[in-house]
Amino acid sequence: MIGVVVRNRPTLGAEQASILAALGVATVHEAQGRTGLFLPGIAPIQQDRAIAGAAVTVLAQPGDNWMLHVAVEQCRPGDVLVVACTTENKDGMFGDLLATSLMARGVAGLVIDAGVRDSAELRRMGFPVWARAVHARGTVKATLGSVNVPVVIGGQQVKAGDAIVADDDGVVVVPHATVGDAIAAARKRMLNEEEKRRRLAAGELGLDIYEMRPKLAAAGLRYLDELPNE
């Protein structure tokens, strides 16, 4: 669907966004059945930033950032701008000027399946970005795309209003309808990991905590005091 802007979309509460960001990409991904994780080609351009927010989706044409400007108007505080392209592209479709505009609207960050430029300035500004590439080549404003339509990015489908979680480990999408379930499952997993961390710190082995020894023996693992003479 090209040439449309959908105004109405689901929202994500600030408390839910804060919880998801704190839980992190890896925990949320594992807790929701190892689903929703973006391919590793879309990576952070900075370190030590963790965000979560409702997706404002953009379907853009390669080398054309016209619809990113259109999407800014649809952004609310706490949102994450999610930009997919109709075909593969690494041009620098986003830079410090668009970031300034998004920051003025309280946007949490950008996830883009294309390139960005002004990367040092973006880091200085403190605007978090996850991108396919860093590339200085500029873009045009000539061809329509769409805003807040379903897109495919990083191998995952994202709909407007879905929760996006992004940190140093990558990006994961949580469907809007399952955000509550994902948070509950992720919290349970986190508590379980905290207990395992305590036991590991006390000197217990993962071999015993995870009850690996019987399965390793069944698989044929043998312990030898020394290699046999040939």
Side-chain angles (χ1 to χ4, degrees):
M1 186 178 296
I2 299 297
V4 301
V5 176
V6 180
R7 293 194 179 102
N8 296 323
R9 57 184 171 83
T11 61
L12 182 69
E15 183 178 2
Q16 288 181 317
S18 178
I19 292 169
L20 286 169
L23 289 167
V25 169
T27 297
V28 172
H29 162 62
E30 294 282 356
Q32 66 174 3
R34 310 188 86 183
T35 62
L37 186 65
F38 284 29
L39 295 172
I42 299 178
I45 71 165
Q46 69 284 305
Q47 296 284 304
D48 300 324
R49 295 301 301 272
I51 66 169
V56 173
T57 62
V58 178
L59 181 62
Q61 304 294 341
D64 192 317
N65 73 351
W66 207 7
M67 299 309 294
L68 275 69
H69 288 272
V70 173
V72 172
E73 185 180 28
Q74 303 303 315
C75 291
R76 306 165 185 154
D79 286 342
V80 177
L81 189 63
V82 178
V83 181
C85 291
T86 57
T87 191
E88 185 175 350
N89 179 63
K90 294 181 180 178
D91 293 346
M93 295 178 63
F94 183 93
D96 69 309
L97 294 179
L98 269 168
T100 299
S101 187
L102 289 176
M103 289 180 75
R105 300 187 73 84
V107 172
L110 169 77
V111 177
I112 183 169
D113 197 0
V116 299
R117 59 184 186 177
D118 307 324
S119 57
E121 181 64 11
L122 292 172
R123 287 189 290 271
R124 188 196 68 77
M125 293 167 65
F127 185 76
V129 172
W130 286 256
R132 165 101 26 209
V134 174
H135 197 356
R137 184 163 58 202
T139 55
V140 299
K141 298 168 180 62
T143 309
L144 289 179
S146 291
V147 176
N148 284 333
V149 299
V151 298
V152 175
I153 174 172
Q156 301 294 330
Q157 184 184 70
V158 178
K159 296 180 180 179
D162 286 348
I164 298 294
V165 187
D167 59 23
D168 286 351
D169 289 338
V171 183
V172 66
V173 58
V174 181
H176 182 267
T178 63
V179 166
D181 292 340
I183 288 175
R187 279 175 158 168
K188 181 178 180 181
R189 180 179 177 84
M190 184 178 66
L191 291 172
N192 181 264
E193 288 185 345
E194 288 177 355
E195 172 62 14
K196 289 174 181 175
R197 189 176 295 109
R198 182 192 64 77
R199 293 173 65 183
L200 290 167
E204 287 190 66
L205 296 175
L207 287 171
D208 298 313
I209 292 173
Y210 295 104
E211 300 179 350
M212 294 179 181
R213 295 186 191 278
K215 291 182 179 179
L216 288 167
L221 181 67
R222 296 181 296 149
Y223 288 83
L224 304 175
D225 290 330
E226 58 185 35
L227 289 175
N229 294 326
E230 296 185 358

